[in-house]
Amino acid sequence: MITLCHAVKGGSGTTVVACTRAINSPGPALLVDFEGDVPLALGLDRPVRPGVIDWLASRAPSAHLDDLLVEVTPNCSLLPAFETAADVLTGETERWDQLVDWLTEWTNDSGGSVVIDAGTTRLPMQFVEQCPHRWLVTRACYLSLRRSCHLRVRPTGVVLIDEPGRALRRTDVESSIGAPVVATLAWDVRIARSVDAGLLLSGRLPRPLHRAFARVAA
């Protein structure tokens, strides 16, 4: 299973959602980082080897992607971004198709799942369309929902960040975006502090965060 996590506004919590989903996966998991924030959020050293964006800009065969993986936990590996040049993400169609093929092969061989942290990066449509699960991470914010109406590829699910004081409800979000809410995460200052301190791997996150994704685990 390949799950793409994305957002229409920065600061929505996409990296937290992607990391938590991957780390809490019941089987092997591969976390793909297109934003470059995952190592910092997890408290990992910045990778010294190339990443997925460098691979897209190269002519290296798909097999080289195996050499770029970084172990996060015994059950979870990271394919880092490394290069941050946004124009690379426009890459050739063939390279993106090769990446999808490699990710699909990884899931088939491992029996695990792939979680992609796309953040607000505009990935090519032919890549996004080939991701079976596309989760939009959003707050119940009028501006975010308005932007979501103009997405080129519709989400298959929504991860709702439930902030206190918002007037819009879950049903409003679902009807506006046209996709079901697959998980609801209550806004919690402890999560922000854990991210700022690079402690997402420490096990100190509130239990409701883990339980929310246990319900949608493959």
Side-chain angles (χ1 to χ4, degrees):
M1 180 175 73
I2 300 176
T3 301
L4 173 73
C5 299
H6 64 109
V8 294
K9 289 182 65 178
S12 297
T14 314
T15 297
V16 172
V17 168
C19 290
T20 305
R21 177 71 178 91
I23 294 170
N24 282 271
S25 176
L30 174 60
L31 180 56
V32 182
D33 182 15
F34 276 113
E35 286 279 275
D37 295 330
V38 169
L40 293 175
L42 294 178
L44 302 175
D45 293 332
R46 186 173 185 269
V48 295
R49 67 188 73 179
V52 62
I53 299 178
D54 302 274
W55 179 85
L56 285 165
S58 73
R59 297 292 181 181
S62 300
H64 282 202
L65 288 166
D66 295 290
D67 301 326
L68 306 183
L69 301 183
V70 176
E71 182 177 294
V72 176
T73 70
N75 203 45
C76 178
S77 297
L78 167 66
L79 180 57
F82 196 78
E83 182 55 65
T84 58
D87 58 335
V88 174
L89 291 178
T90 62
E92 298 178 4
T93 300
E94 179 183 356
R95 296 298 281 173
W96 288 96
D97 288 341
Q98 290 173 1
L99 178 58
V100 171
D101 291 342
W102 183 83
L103 293 175
T104 302
E105 183 178 356
W106 187 93
T107 61
N108 292 336
D109 291 345
S110 67
S113 58
V114 172
V115 182
I116 301 170
D117 178 16
T120 57
T121 301
R122 289 174 62 88
L123 300 179
M125 283 187 64
Q126 77 268 15
F127 176 78
V128 175
E129 289 174 339
Q130 294 184 77
C131 296
H133 301 275
R134 300 182 295 274
W135 288 359
L136 175 68
V137 182
T138 185
R139 304 167 190 267
C141 164
Y142 172 73
L143 296 178
S144 293
L145 296 183
R146 181 162 181 164
R147 290 188 187 183
S148 301
C149 294
H150 301 288
L151 289 171
R152 297 175 299 164
V153 180
R154 304 310 303 170
T156 61
V158 178
V159 177
L160 178 62
I161 309 302
D162 188 14
E163 293 179 304
R166 291 289 185 184
L168 299 176
R169 302 184 180 278
R170 173 177 179 146
T171 53
D172 299 318
V173 173
E174 291 180 329
S175 61
S176 174
I177 296 175
V181 171
V182 297
T184 300
L185 307 181
W187 185 90
D188 193 317
V189 68
R190 290 173 294 175
I191 297 175
R193 289 172 179 167
S194 294
V195 174
D196 292 342
L199 294 176
L200 276 180
L201 276 177
S202 69
R204 301 178 187 175
L205 289 179
R207 290 183 180 178
L209 181 62
H210 298 286
R211 289 200 298 266
F213 290 106
R215 300 188 189 104
V216 292

